[in-house]
Amino acid sequence: MSSGGYALFRQRQFRELWSANLLTSFGLVMLLLGASWVMTSMTTNPLLVSMVQTATSLPFLVLGIPAGIMADLYGHRRLLLGAHTWMLLCVAGLAALTFGGDLSAVWLLVGLSMVGIGLVFQQAAWKPFLHDLLPSDQLVAAISFNTLSNKIAQVAGPLLGGVLVGARGALIVFVTRGLSHLVMMAVVRRVPKSGDRGDNRSFGEAMSSFADGWRHLRASRALYGPMIRCIVFMLPCAGMVALLPLEAKLNIQTEVLGYGGLLTALALGTVSAVSLMPWLQGRASMNLLSSVALAGFSLSVLGVSQWDSMLGDASFLLVAGFCWGILTVAHQWSVQTAAPDAMRGLMTSFYALVLQGSLAAGSFLFGLIATEAGVSTTILICGLVAASGLALVRVFPMPGAVAQEHAT
């Protein structure tokens, strides 16, 4: 990255926002780890354990598009503050229930669903909020650094969360997540209000634009093809990740720190892939990269299902994460490449809706299967379903040209 990109950190406002986003990313990773592990202490029912992921992803399926419309209508700063206030109240409720010894599986899932609603609106407002603050020649660096903060949290957060949960219990991660919201709200409030007043459209006009975008999506094979491939990949991917707490506890027989280690291996693989994508894309077509990655991911998941050891599972998850990173970039890049300039934001929202909906549905579906078939067999099925996506390579090929840029 150029020195001009790193010059962003000389700006106090950007430094504060980046640091606050890093803290909230850590808080979210540790929250989900703590919630998943707490659920395994309440029940070994695979469906309930997998519902931890479903609870936070399902709101995107219902509210993703309306949240994007509201962010444009009412202002990104205002929506961002509202979303963090809402999530602060939600995690405060979870902390209070935990402290009083009244936290149950049902209340945990309800609380996480409420947090998921806040995440929908926070994500709809955050990137446009950065866009509002910076000149166009600094946006690529800002988006890249934003992605970097999320990836750092995904790598280090599981291990840190595992240590904290193991030493102090789930209450500490709920409190940490709450503090991260307070920090972000304080930083956002320091940003001037100018430039974030929303647009002049009515809600009806905004919905009319949405209808036009939906018609364009249905008519464009180059747009809906990558989304279909994303669904077939993310369903089993979500199922595998949702069942990892039980894989760690029942099959490997490790504690919460071991589970955090598995998540860290998965995240390390993803970070490595995203970092290498500019180099890889200069040497192979996106279609070839995504096909090889899908085959590698499928084989890795099959390995996890058959190899119940910490070292073996971590190694397979490292490879699975690397392949996941390539596929994430490939799907997003294909959608952005095919989208018209005037509809790129809306098509990105459609893609996010597909992605999060697949996460919610996959974790629920494979959790349900695991209640009958068992954890190892269900992870095996996840690998086979992922491999079936190779049949779509010829039906919905990625753009044939070698990419010159990568999605962030």
Side-chain angles (χ1 to χ4, degrees):
M1 196 169 294
S2 67
S3 59
Y6 286 106
L8 273 174
F9 284 100
R10 299 195 191 108
Q11 302 178 23
R12 177 190 57 79
Q13 186 172 272
F14 181 79
R15 285 198 311 272
E16 291 180 351
L17 286 169
W18 187 86
S19 300
N21 185 59
L22 177 62
L23 183 58
T24 56
S25 298
F26 264 99
L28 180 60
V29 170
M30 292 190 292
L31 172 68
L32 295 178
L33 177 140
S36 296
W37 198 255
V38 166
M39 187 64 84
T40 65
S41 68
M42 296 176 178
T43 178
T44 56
N45 185 308
L47 180 59
L48 286 176
V49 175
S50 67
M51 284 293 290
V52 169
Q53 182 168 283
T54 301
T56 54
S57 298
L58 189 59
F60 283 87
L61 188 61
V62 180
L63 299 172
I65 299 299
I69 294 173
M70 288 179 65
D72 289 336
L73 287 177
Y74 303 118
H76 307 129
R77 182 181 186 274
R78 186 186 306 175
L79 196 66
L80 196 58
L81 286 170
H84 280 285
T85 301
W86 171 266
M87 289 188 285
L88 173 62
L89 294 174
C90 293
V91 294
L94 288 172
L97 289 172
T98 303
F99 183 76
D102 298 319
L103 185 65
S104 65
V106 172
W107 279 117
L108 180 59
L109 292 176
V110 169
L112 291 174
S113 296
M114 297 298 101
V115 170
I117 291 173
L119 285 172
V120 177
F121 289 92
Q122 181 263 325
Q123 292 193 19
W126 174 243
K127 288 183 179 179
F129 178 73
L130 289 179
H131 195 140
D132 294 339
L133 297 178
L134 299 169
S136 58
D137 62 346
Q138 294 180 331
L139 287 178
V140 172
I143 293 171
S144 299
F145 285 131
N146 179 68
T147 302
L148 178 62
S149 66
N150 295 332
K151 297 304 181 184
I152 290 173
Q154 289 172 11
V155 171
L159 284 178
L160 179 58
V163 171
L164 292 177
V165 173
R168 299 293 182 180
L171 179 62
I172 188 66
V173 296
F174 296 150
V175 172
T176 301
R177 176 64 175 174
L179 291 174
S180 73
H181 290 308
L182 289 173
V183 171
M184 177 60 83
M185 290 163 63
V187 171
V188 171
R189 285 185 181 278
R190 289 167 59 92
V191 176
K193 294 183 180 180
S194 59
D196 185 42
R197 300 185 180 91
D199 61 30
N200 297 318
R201 294 181 300 166
S202 67
F203 191 78
E205 290 171 333
M207 290 306 296
S208 177
S209 298
F210 164 75
D212 290 340
W214 173 246
R215 285 192 292 270
H216 184 85
L217 172 62
R218 291 178 61 187
S220 175
R221 186 184 185 88
L223 279 170
Y224 68 71
M227 295 188 190
I228 292 175
R229 289 183 62 171
C230 177
I231 292 171
V232 176
F233 167 66
M234 287 308 304
L235 285 172
C237 181
M240 183 271 292
V241 174
L243 293 172
L244 274 184
L246 291 176
E247 168 71 12
K249 189 164 191 174
L250 301 180
N251 295 343
I252 302 178
Q253 297 183 339
T254 185
E255 295 300 324
V256 64
L257 189 57
Y259 170 51
L262 294 180
L263 291 180
T264 297
L266 187 67
L268 275 173
T270 305
V271 171
S272 301
V274 172
S275 301
L276 286 173
M277 276 305 285
W279 182 83
L280 292 172
Q281 289 176 332
R283 287 156 179 79
S285 70
M286 191 66 80
N287 204 47
L288 177 60
L289 285 174
S290 61
S291 301
V292 173
L294 183 57
F297 179 86
S298 304
L299 290 173
S300 299
V301 174
L302 293 175
V304 171
S305 72
Q306 300 300 307
W307 197 306
D308 294 331
S309 75
M310 187 66 196
L311 180 60
D313 277 13
S315 300
F316 285 122
L317 287 171
L318 187 67
V319 176
F322 188 88
C323 297
W324 186 356
I326 291 176
L327 288 163
T328 298
V329 171
H331 296 150
Q332 186 176 348
W333 177 83
S334 297
V335 170
Q336 290 180 354
T337 300
D341 291 343
M343 292 184 176
R344 186 160 289 123
L346 182 57
M347 293 306 157
T348 301
S349 295
F350 280 128
Y351 171 76
L353 182 66
V354 166
L355 178 66
Q356 295 294 335
S358 300
L359 282 171
S363 54
F364 175 81
L365 174 63
F366 287 100
L368 192 63
I369 294 173
T371 60
E372 300 295 331
V375 174
S376 295
T377 300
T378 304
I379 294 177
L380 175 65
I381 295 172
C382 288
L384 295 174
V385 172
S388 72
L390 291 169
L392 298 177
V393 171
R394 288 184 176 274
V395 181
F396 301 116
M398 298 291 179
V402 177
Q404 298 301 313
E405 60 180 354
H406 70 285
T408 55

